[in-house]
Amino acid sequence: MALVSCTALPLKLHHFFEFAGQAIGGPFPIKDKAAIARHLNIPRARVTEWTQADDDKNRPVNSVQNAHVEELARLYALLAPGPILAEEAYRYWRYVSAEVFRDGLFPRPDWRNLCPLLKSREPKVKITLNPAQDALGMMDEMVEPVPGTHCLKLGQHFSVYVERIRGKSMYLLVDAPEGLFLHVPGATFDGIFRQNPQRLPPERRWRFTTNGPHRIIVIELSADAPPFVRHLSTRGALSEREIDTMVSALEDPGRVPVWNWGACAIHVGDMSADQE
Protein backbone atom coordinates (compact mmCIF):
# COMPACT_ATOMS: atom_id res chain seq x y z
CA MET A 1 0.00 0.00 0.00
CA ALA A 2 1.11 3.56 -0.69
CA LEU A 3 2.54 5.59 2.17
CA VAL A 4 1.35 9.18 2.57
CA SER A 5 2.63 11.93 4.81
CA CYS A 6 0.55 13.38 7.66
CA THR A 7 1.64 16.76 9.00
CA ALA A 8 2.40 16.77 12.77
CA LEU A 9 1.11 13.20 13.16
CA PRO A 10 2.27 12.63 16.79
CA LEU A 11 0.48 15.74 18.05
CA LYS A 12 -2.65 14.93 16.07
CA LEU A 13 -2.80 11.45 17.60
CA HIS A 14 -2.28 12.98 21.04
CA HIS A 15 -5.23 15.33 20.46
CA PHE A 16 -7.35 12.51 19.03
CA PHE A 17 -6.79 10.34 22.12
CA GLU A 18 -7.39 13.35 24.39
CA PHE A 19 -10.83 14.01 22.94
CA ALA A 20 -11.70 10.33 22.52
CA GLY A 21 -11.48 9.93 26.30
CA GLN A 22 -13.97 12.72 26.96
CA ALA A 23 -16.32 12.42 23.99
CA ILE A 24 -19.90 13.57 24.29
CA GLY A 25 -22.08 10.61 25.30
CA GLY A 26 -19.22 8.70 26.90
CA PRO A 27 -15.65 7.67 25.99
CA PHE A 28 -15.03 6.99 22.32
CA PRO A 29 -14.22 3.28 21.75
CA ILE A 30 -10.95 4.08 19.94
CA LYS A 31 -9.25 6.01 22.73
CA ASP A 32 -5.61 4.84 22.89
CA LYS A 33 -2.76 3.25 20.96
CA ALA A 34 -3.83 -0.30 21.71
CA ALA A 35 -7.38 0.36 20.49
CA ILE A 36 -6.13 2.01 17.29
CA ALA A 37 -3.82 -0.95 16.62
CA ARG A 38 -6.63 -3.47 17.14
CA HIS A 39 -9.03 -1.45 15.01
CA LEU A 40 -6.56 -1.16 12.11
CA ASN A 41 -5.27 -4.72 12.61
CA ILE A 42 -1.65 -3.58 12.86
CA PRO A 43 1.07 -4.10 15.51
CA ARG A 44 0.88 -1.72 18.45
CA ALA A 45 4.55 -0.92 17.84
CA ARG A 46 3.55 0.64 14.52
CA VAL A 47 1.22 3.08 16.28
CA THR A 48 4.00 3.83 18.76
CA GLU A 49 6.20 4.78 15.78
CA TRP A 50 3.49 7.21 14.68
CA THR A 51 3.23 8.81 18.12
CA GLN A 52 6.99 9.15 18.54
CA ALA A 53 7.91 10.19 14.98
CA ASP A 54 10.78 7.72 15.20
CA ASP A 55 13.09 8.30 12.22
CA ASP A 56 15.29 5.33 13.11
CA LYS A 57 12.79 2.95 11.51
CA ASN A 58 12.53 1.94 7.88
CA ARG A 59 9.86 4.47 6.98
CA PRO A 60 9.85 8.28 6.84
CA VAL A 61 8.57 10.20 9.85
CA ASN A 62 4.82 10.91 9.81
CA SER A 63 4.20 8.29 7.11
CA VAL A 64 1.06 6.16 7.22
CA GLN A 65 -0.55 3.80 4.75
CA ASN A 66 -3.21 5.68 2.86
CA ALA A 67 -5.90 3.12 3.70
CA HIS A 68 -5.18 3.65 7.41
CA VAL A 69 -5.47 7.43 7.02
CA GLU A 70 -8.84 6.92 5.36
CA GLU A 71 -10.04 4.89 8.35
CA LEU A 72 -8.59 7.43 10.80
CA ALA A 73 -10.55 10.08 8.90
CA ARG A 74 -13.76 8.09 9.32
CA LEU A 75 -13.10 7.88 13.07
CA TYR A 76 -12.36 11.62 13.26
CA ALA A 77 -15.67 12.36 11.50
CA LEU A 78 -17.47 10.22 14.10
CA LEU A 79 -15.68 11.89 17.01
CA ALA A 80 -16.07 15.50 15.85
CA PRO A 81 -18.94 17.29 17.65
CA GLY A 82 -20.30 18.85 14.47
CA PRO A 83 -21.01 17.46 11.00
CA ILE A 84 -17.86 16.82 8.97
CA LEU A 85 -17.36 14.75 5.84
CA ALA A 86 -14.83 11.92 5.89
CA GLU A 87 -13.12 13.56 2.89
CA GLU A 88 -12.57 16.73 4.90
CA ALA A 89 -11.38 14.74 7.93
CA TYR A 90 -8.88 12.99 5.64
CA ARG A 91 -7.42 16.36 4.70
CA TYR A 92 -7.26 17.26 8.40
CA TRP A 93 -5.04 14.23 9.06
CA ARG A 94 -2.89 14.91 6.00
CA TYR A 95 -2.43 18.65 5.66
CA VAL A 96 -3.58 21.00 8.43
CA SER A 97 -1.64 22.01 11.54
CA ALA A 98 -2.11 20.18 14.83
CA GLU A 99 -3.85 23.27 16.21
CA VAL A 100 -6.45 23.33 13.44
CA PHE A 101 -6.87 19.55 13.81
CA ARG A 102 -7.58 19.96 17.54
CA ASP A 103 -9.97 22.86 16.96
CA GLY A 104 -12.08 20.57 14.79
CA LEU A 105 -12.71 18.35 17.83
CA PHE A 106 -13.97 21.18 20.04
CA PRO A 107 -17.72 21.82 20.19
CA ARG A 108 -18.14 24.68 17.71
CA PRO A 109 -21.35 26.59 18.40
CA ASP A 110 -20.06 29.66 16.60
CA TRP A 111 -21.17 28.84 13.06
CA ARG A 112 -23.13 25.60 13.43
CA ASN A 113 -26.34 27.59 13.84
CA LEU A 114 -25.78 29.00 10.34
CA CYS A 115 -25.34 25.59 8.67
CA PRO A 116 -28.88 24.29 9.40
CA LEU A 117 -30.30 27.58 8.16
CA LEU A 118 -28.46 27.24 4.83
CA LYS A 119 -29.26 23.54 4.51
CA SER A 120 -32.96 24.29 4.97
CA ARG A 121 -33.14 25.57 1.41
CA GLU A 122 -31.62 24.62 -1.94
CA PRO A 123 -28.49 26.55 -3.00
CA LYS A 124 -29.31 28.59 -6.12
CA VAL A 125 -26.66 31.31 -6.38
CA LYS A 126 -23.94 30.40 -8.92
CA ILE A 127 -20.32 31.17 -8.05
CA THR A 128 -17.56 30.93 -10.68
CA LEU A 129 -13.90 30.74 -9.62
CA ASN A 130 -11.40 32.66 -11.75
CA PRO A 131 -7.85 31.66 -10.69
CA ALA A 132 -4.89 33.70 -11.88
CA GLN A 133 -2.38 31.71 -13.92
CA ASP A 134 1.26 31.60 -12.93
CA ALA A 135 4.00 33.30 -14.95
CA LEU A 136 4.09 30.50 -17.53
CA GLY A 137 0.33 30.20 -17.75
CA MET A 138 0.48 26.63 -16.48
CA MET A 139 -0.55 24.80 -13.32
CA ASP A 140 0.78 21.59 -11.81
CA GLU A 141 -1.43 18.56 -12.26
CA MET A 142 -3.47 18.06 -9.12
CA VAL A 143 -5.57 15.24 -7.80
CA GLU A 144 -9.23 16.23 -7.48
CA PRO A 145 -9.96 15.92 -3.73
CA VAL A 146 -13.74 15.77 -4.00
CA PRO A 147 -15.94 15.93 -7.13
CA GLY A 148 -16.83 19.55 -7.77
CA THR A 149 -13.99 20.93 -5.64
CA HIS A 150 -11.61 23.47 -7.18
CA CYS A 151 -7.87 23.41 -6.45
CA LEU A 152 -5.65 26.44 -5.86
CA LYS A 153 -2.00 26.66 -5.00
CA LEU A 154 -1.14 28.26 -1.67
CA GLY A 155 -0.92 32.00 -2.29
CA GLN A 156 -2.37 31.80 -5.80
CA HIS A 157 -4.47 34.87 -6.57
CA PHE A 158 -8.07 34.48 -7.69
CA SER A 159 -11.38 36.27 -8.04
CA VAL A 160 -14.95 34.98 -8.16
CA TYR A 161 -18.00 35.90 -10.18
CA VAL A 162 -21.41 35.74 -8.50
CA GLU A 163 -24.51 35.46 -10.68
CA ARG A 164 -27.32 37.00 -8.69
CA ILE A 165 -30.91 35.86 -9.02
CA ARG A 166 -32.70 38.99 -7.86
CA GLY A 167 -30.71 40.20 -4.88
CA LYS A 168 -29.61 43.77 -4.22
CA SER A 169 -26.85 43.01 -1.71
CA MET A 170 -24.88 40.10 -0.33
CA TYR A 171 -22.70 38.47 2.29
CA LEU A 172 -19.62 36.50 1.22
CA LEU A 173 -18.21 34.12 3.81
CA VAL A 174 -15.17 31.86 3.75
CA ASP A 175 -15.45 28.65 5.77
CA ALA A 176 -11.81 27.73 6.47
CA PRO A 177 -10.04 25.32 8.87
CA GLU A 178 -9.35 28.32 11.13
CA GLY A 179 -12.97 29.47 11.37
CA LEU A 180 -15.70 31.31 9.50
CA PHE A 181 -14.68 34.65 7.96
CA LEU A 182 -16.79 37.50 6.56
CA HIS A 183 -15.15 39.04 3.46
CA VAL A 184 -18.17 40.91 2.09
CA PRO A 185 -19.10 43.45 3.25
CA GLY A 186 -15.49 44.28 4.00
CA ALA A 187 -12.52 46.37 3.02
CA THR A 188 -12.62 45.35 -0.65
CA PHE A 189 -16.37 45.48 -1.33
CA ASP A 190 -19.35 46.96 0.50
CA GLY A 191 -21.73 44.16 -0.44
CA ILE A 192 -24.05 46.06 -2.78
CA PHE A 193 -24.53 44.44 -6.22
CA ARG A 194 -23.55 46.77 -9.05
CA GLN A 195 -23.26 44.35 -11.96
CA ASN A 196 -24.30 40.84 -12.93
CA PRO A 197 -22.28 38.74 -12.67
CA GLN A 198 -20.60 40.62 -9.84
CA ARG A 199 -16.82 40.29 -9.77
CA LEU A 200 -15.30 39.94 -6.31
CA PRO A 201 -13.15 41.62 -5.32
CA PRO A 202 -14.07 44.26 -7.94
CA GLU A 203 -10.58 45.55 -8.75
CA ARG A 204 -8.07 43.32 -7.02
CA ARG A 205 -7.72 39.61 -6.27
CA TRP A 206 -7.82 37.49 -3.16
CA ARG A 207 -5.51 34.66 -2.10
CA PHE A 208 -5.53 32.03 0.63
CA THR A 209 -2.63 31.95 3.08
CA THR A 210 -3.32 28.54 4.65
CA ASN A 211 -3.58 25.07 3.15
CA GLY A 212 -6.57 22.79 3.38
CA PRO A 213 -10.28 22.74 2.59
CA HIS A 214 -12.07 26.05 2.16
CA ARG A 215 -15.58 26.94 1.10
CA ILE A 216 -16.84 30.24 -0.29
CA ILE A 217 -20.44 30.88 0.72
CA VAL A 218 -22.48 33.66 -0.89
CA ILE A 219 -25.82 34.75 0.57
CA GLU A 220 -27.81 36.96 -1.79
CA LEU A 221 -30.13 39.41 -0.01
CA SER A 222 -33.21 41.33 -1.18
CA ALA A 223 -32.24 44.14 1.24
CA ASP A 224 -30.81 47.31 -0.30
CA ALA A 225 -27.65 46.85 1.80
CA PRO A 226 -26.43 43.92 3.91
CA PRO A 227 -27.56 44.19 7.54
CA PHE A 228 -24.79 45.17 9.92
CA VAL A 229 -22.69 42.33 11.36
CA ARG A 230 -19.49 44.16 12.34
CA HIS A 231 -17.33 47.11 11.28
CA LEU A 232 -15.86 46.77 7.79
CA SER A 233 -12.28 47.10 9.08
CA THR A 234 -12.61 44.24 11.59
CA ARG A 235 -10.49 41.20 10.79
CA GLY A 236 -10.37 37.63 12.03
CA ALA A 237 -12.93 34.86 12.30
CA LEU A 238 -16.51 35.71 13.15
CA SER A 239 -17.43 35.36 16.80
CA GLU A 240 -20.46 33.44 18.01
CA ARG A 241 -22.23 36.72 18.71
CA GLU A 242 -21.51 38.07 15.21
CA ILE A 243 -22.83 34.92 13.55
CA ASP A 244 -25.94 35.09 15.72
CA THR A 245 -26.37 38.68 14.49
CA MET A 246 -26.21 37.51 10.87
CA VAL A 247 -28.60 34.60 11.41
CA SER A 248 -31.06 36.89 13.20
CA ALA A 249 -31.07 39.23 10.20
CA LEU A 250 -31.68 36.36 7.76
CA GLU A 251 -34.55 35.07 9.88
CA ASP A 252 -36.19 38.53 10.14
CA PRO A 253 -38.40 39.14 7.04
CA GLY A 254 -38.61 42.80 8.01
CA ARG A 255 -34.86 43.18 7.42
CA VAL A 256 -34.32 40.57 4.69
CA PRO A 257 -37.60 39.61 3.01
CA VAL A 258 -35.95 37.14 0.60
CA TRP A 259 -32.52 35.52 0.41
CA ASN A 260 -30.76 32.81 -1.61
CA TRP A 261 -27.37 31.23 -1.27
CA GLY A 262 -24.69 29.21 -3.04
CA ALA A 263 -21.28 27.76 -2.27
CA CYS A 264 -18.01 26.90 -4.00
CA ALA A 265 -15.66 24.27 -2.51
CA ILE A 266 -11.92 24.93 -2.84
CA HIS A 267 -8.89 22.94 -1.73
CA VAL A 268 -5.74 25.00 -1.19
CA GLY A 269 -2.45 23.17 -1.72
CA ASP A 270 -1.11 20.55 -4.11
CA MET A 271 -3.13 17.38 -3.57
CA SER A 272 -0.71 15.39 -5.72
CA ALA A 273 2.13 15.84 -3.24
CA ASP A 274 3.03 12.70 -1.32
CA GLN A 275 0.97 10.50 -3.63
CA GLU A 276 2.70 7.26 -4.61
Side-chain angles (χ1 to χ4, degrees):
M1 294 184 183
L3 290 175
V4 295
S5 178
C6 295
T7 302
L9 179 61
L11 266 178
K12 287 178 178 176
L13 285 166
H14 171 77
H15 294 322
F16 183 85
F17 296 145
E18 172 191 1
F19 281 87
Q22 55 188 21
I24 298 174
F28 196 67
I30 312 299
K31 62 182 183 298
D32 54 29
K33 291 187 290 185
I36 284 281
R38 288 194 301 270
H39 185 77
L40 297 178
N41 194 27
I42 59 176
R44 181 174 175 176
R46 176 65 49 77
V47 183
T48 299
E49 291 177 22
W50 297 347
T51 59
Q52 295 179 350
D54 191 347
D55 56 6
D56 292 331
K57 304 298 180 182
N58 296 324
R59 62 176 61 213
V61 172
N62 295 336
S63 294
V64 182
Q65 289 184 359
N66 190 61
H68 292 158
V69 180
E70 291 175 347
E71 181 57 23
L72 289 173
R74 191 185 71 82
L75 295 174
Y76 184 102
L78 291 174
L79 181 61
I84 179 173
L85 295 175
E87 292 88 347
E88 183 177 3
Y90 175 89
R91 295 194 287 272
Y92 269 44
W93 281 105
R94 291 287 313 278
Y95 301 110
V96 306
S97 67
E99 292 77 14
V100 171
F101 180 94
R102 187 173 189 268
D103 285 348
L105 296 174
F106 273 112
R108 299 297 294 268
D110 49 357
W111 75 81
R112 295 304 176 193
N113 56 351
L114 180 62
C115 291
L117 183 64
L118 296 180
K119 290 180 179 179
S120 67
R121 59 178 69 191
E122 178 186 359
K124 296 181 180 179
V125 177
K126 183 178 180 181
I127 306 167
T128 304
L129 183 71
N130 183 28
Q133 300 297 313
D134 61 23
L136 298 177
M138 301 177 64
M139 293 180 64
D140 295 336
E141 182 180 354
M142 295 181 180
V143 176
E144 189 78 358
V146 180
T149 300
H150 301 276
C151 288
L152 290 175
K153 295 178 181 178
L154 182 65
Q156 182 180 3
H157 288 84
F158 70 95
S159 58
V160 297
Y161 286 87
V162 178
E163 295 186 19
R164 65 179 178 177
I165 301 172
R166 51 175 172 166
K168 298 178 182 179
S169 63
M170 64 180 293
Y171 294 123
L172 186 144
L173 303 139
V174 174
D175 189 359
E178 300 81 14
L180 186 70
F181 297 81
L182 179 66
H183 284 262
V184 173
T188 59
F189 188 64
D190 59 9
I192 300 175
F193 278 111
R194 293 183 174 84
Q195 60 189 53
N196 193 26
Q198 176 68 58
R199 183 185 189 273
L200 295 171
E203 298 177 354
R204 305 189 319 187
R205 288 182 181 268
W206 285 319
R207 65 188 179 93
F208 290 119
T209 57
T210 57
N211 285 306
H214 295 70
R215 184 168 61 138
I216 293 176
I217 301 170
V218 169
I219 305 176
E220 173 197 80
L221 312 167
S222 61
D224 291 332
F228 178 81
V229 174
R230 66 181 182 182
H231 195 276
L232 299 184
S233 63
T234 304
R235 297 179 178 272
L238 287 166
S239 67
E240 179 181 351
R241 184 174 183 178
E242 289 168 336
I243 295 175
D244 285 342
T245 298
M246 180 185 299
V247 171
S248 297
L250 294 175
E251 293 180 328
D252 184 350
R255 301 174 68 189
V256 181
V258 179
W259 59 272
N260 293 292
W261 75 286
C264 175
I266 299 171
H267 183 84
V268 181
D270 189 352
M271 292 291 292
S272 64
D274 304 318
Q275 297 284 339
E276 296 184 9

